[in-house]
């Protein structure tokens, strides 16, 4: 998708610190981290928001969680725990309109999400 910053990262038109990549998913460090570990896990398919996920994407979204599981174990933060957040739309403050999964960890996170 033209003008989508995450599609540009996927196409390597914009640099990022890539943690993991395969044909369906890319994961890279958030440029403005909110925690010591702040990885964005992004399906390569340009889906704008969670509301745009269709039945056809069931396998892909499930796969994203498998990749998060794999990254957490391989990067060594699985045992300490972590948080996964998906922002959707205006009230969430979603800035990038390409669905992405924030993986946050590396410290004790607040007990409340907001
Ligand atoms: P959201 O508010 O859920 O749309 O989150 C978008 C996230 O993308 C923010 O946490 C930004 O810091 C992050 N971000 C924006 N541009 C880049 C980039 N070029 N590389 C890595 N992360 C980015
Ligand atoms: Zn995109």
């Amino acid at each position: 998708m033209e003008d989508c910053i995450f599609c540009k990262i996927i196409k390597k038109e914009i640099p990022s610190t890539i943690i993991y990549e395969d044909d369906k998913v890319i994961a890279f460090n958030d440029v403005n981290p909110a925690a010591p570990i702040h990885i964005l896990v992004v399906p390569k398919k340009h889906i704008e928001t969670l509301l745009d996920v269709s039945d056809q994407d069931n396998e892909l979204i499930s796969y994203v969680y498998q990749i998060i599981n794999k990254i957490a174990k391989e990067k060594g933060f699985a045992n300490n725990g972590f948080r996964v957040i998906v922002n959707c739309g205006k009230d969430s403050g979603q800035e990038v309109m390409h669905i992405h999964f924030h993986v946050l960890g590396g410290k004790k996170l607040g007990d409340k999400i907001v």
Side-chain angles (χ1 to χ4, degrees):
M1 190 80 165
E2 254 177 69
D3 292 338
C4 168
I5 194 163
F6 287 175
C7 283
K8 287 183 179 165
I9 286 175
I10 289 160
K11 285 186 275 178
K12 314 280 163 51
E13 292 171 7
I14 291 179
S16 67
T17 309
I18 297 173
I19 301 291
Y20 175 87
E21 181 171 20
D22 63 28
D23 57 331
K24 292 189 279 295
V25 168
I26 190 166
F28 49 88
N29 283 331
D30 195 295
V31 79
N32 185 21
I37 294 165
H38 189 168
I39 299 167
L40 300 175
V41 182
V42 184
K44 289 190 171 178
K45 179 180 178 185
H46 181 90
I47 300 169
E48 289 201 357
T49 79
L50 188 140
L51 293 175
D52 301 302
V53 171
S54 75
D55 285 355
Q56 289 175 341
D57 302 314
N58 285 347
E59 223 172 278
L60 178 61
I61 299 302
S62 168
Y63 185 69
V64 167
Y65 280 97
Q66 287 177 42
I67 296 306
I68 292 170
N69 176 327
K70 181 182 165 73
I71 291 170
K73 287 172 181 163
E74 287 183 3
K75 293 288 170 193
F77 62 87
N79 287 342
N80 282 340
F82 56 94
R83 181 172 290 158
V84 179
I85 293 177
V86 180
N87 288 320
C88 179
K90 189 163 53 75
D91 280 358
S92 76
Q94 182 179 0
E95 285 172 10
V96 179
M97 301 308 277
H98 180 138
I99 195 168
H100 50 282
F101 296 69
H102 295 259
V103 179
L104 298 153
K107 69 168 188 181
K108 178 87 176 80
L109 300 167
D111 292 336
K112 305 271 186 258
I113 291 174
V114 290

